[in-house]
Amino acid sequence: MSLLELHDIHSYYGNIHALKGVSLQVEEGEIVTLIGANGAGKTTTLRSISGLLHPKKGSIRLAGKDITTMAPNHVHHEGLGLVPEGRGIFPRLTVRENLEMGAYIVKDRAKVAAGIDYAFTLFPRLKEREEQKGGTLSGGEQQMLATARGLMSEPKILLMDEPSMGLAPVLVDAIFDVIRELNSRGTTILLVEQNALMALSVAHRAYVLQTGQIVLSGSAADVARDEGVRKAYLGI
């Protein structure tokens, strides 16, 4: 049994058929990346998994439990963390308050404190800005905060949507170093990323999404060697 399983997912926006039979699996301990052009359905896939958009057909299972029609808060309780596209931090809350919001389902205050300590270990810059309002952080710092907040509930799997978007190259490298570090510590990650080269460099396996359908899947190394992927997404 895979940690996350999507089977024949069909999702719509009104009459627009956005996902057309998407099936994929993520095993515990993996980084799996979903790559594709803008509008291919990558974010829609994450929205369908996280309960923000309910598929009209197909099933989604997390650790063996059907979450297809669950509300987002219930999906979160089942162990899914989300780092959304655009970061989605609370701009008027401090860094610490943002992290505490990420742990709203955690009742053990000692675990919350440990989670904050872990976040500050991963991102020392956040510790330096602990009492600073989220909206005053730089783009890179906001991405760090969004990632740390997504970890605060100790999710079984972390969904990351375009973590490098809008960041300077040196910060992109830093974010991907953190993704590697998180995975080395046992975090399972489903990564949606426009920077296909970077995504394939950190992932174990990859799926290529095109107009709402999976057109290629395999090990990240094999997908990176595919001639079509090299031309379309890697600029080679």
Side-chain angles (χ1 to χ4, degrees):
M1 180 182 68
S2 300
L3 178 58
L4 177 68
E5 298 177 281
L6 277 67
H7 177 69
D8 194 27
I9 292 299
H10 291 257
S11 293
Y12 291 75
Y13 293 110
N15 293 323
I16 299 172
H17 196 174
L19 297 183
K20 305 167 185 174
V22 169
S23 296
L24 61 83
Q25 295 82 38
V26 181
E27 305 299 332
E28 187 172 358
E30 281 191 314
I31 300 175
V32 172
T33 188
L34 188 59
I35 63 174
N38 286 334
K42 303 186 301 297
T43 293
T44 302
T45 301
L46 297 194
R47 286 174 57 84
S48 298
I49 297 168
S50 59
L52 295 168
L53 179 67
H54 289 146
K56 289 190 176 179
K57 181 183 176 184
S59 65
I60 304 170
R61 303 185 75 85
L62 177 61
K65 187 166 187 176
D66 193 325
I67 62 169
T68 314
T69 60
M70 281 189 185
N73 60 314
H74 293 155
V75 175
H76 186 49
H77 276 271
E78 291 300 323
L80 186 137
L82 175 65
V83 182
E85 181 181 6
R87 294 140 201 167
I89 63 162
F90 300 102
R92 296 185 180 182
L93 300 184
T94 67
V95 166
R96 174 173 282 274
E97 288 167 342
N98 267 274
L99 294 175
E100 289 171 345
M101 287 296 291
Y104 78 94
I105 67 171
V106 181
K107 305 305 180 186
D108 186 335
R109 302 314 297 171
K111 281 191 174 183
V112 175
I116 292 174
D117 287 344
Y118 179 50
F120 289 158
T121 300
L122 282 173
F123 301 107
R125 199 176 303 185
L126 294 182
K127 174 63 176 173
E128 297 169 6
R129 289 153 175 73
E130 181 176 354
E131 299 305 325
Q132 192 169 322
K133 296 291 178 67
T136 67
L137 301 178
S138 69
E141 291 163 349
Q142 289 187 13
Q143 186 61 57
M144 294 174 192
L145 180 55
T147 302
R149 185 187 60 188
L151 294 167
M152 285 297 298
S153 61
E154 298 182 341
K156 295 172 183 173
I157 183 170
L158 185 67
L159 276 53
M160 303 187 73
D161 194 356
E162 302 285 7
S164 77
M165 181 180 288
L167 300 185
V170 65
L171 292 176
V172 172
D173 289 341
I175 288 295
F176 276 90
D177 284 344
V178 167
I179 291 172
R180 290 187 184 93
E181 173 69 13
L182 290 174
N183 185 245
S184 74
R185 297 187 183 205
T187 302
T188 303
I189 297 170
L190 177 58
L191 172 67
V192 161
E193 177 54 56
Q194 192 68 29
N195 188 333
L197 187 62
M198 290 294 288
L200 291 169
S201 74
V202 301
H204 299 98
R205 293 189 301 109
Y207 293 86
V208 180
L209 196 59
Q210 185 175 310
T211 59
Q213 296 178 301
I214 300 292
V215 296
L216 181 67
S217 65
S219 73
D222 286 346
V223 170
R225 284 191 290 265
D226 181 84
E227 194 64 30
V229 170
R230 288 165 67 84
K231 288 180 179 179
Y233 305 113
L234 304 184
I236 300 172

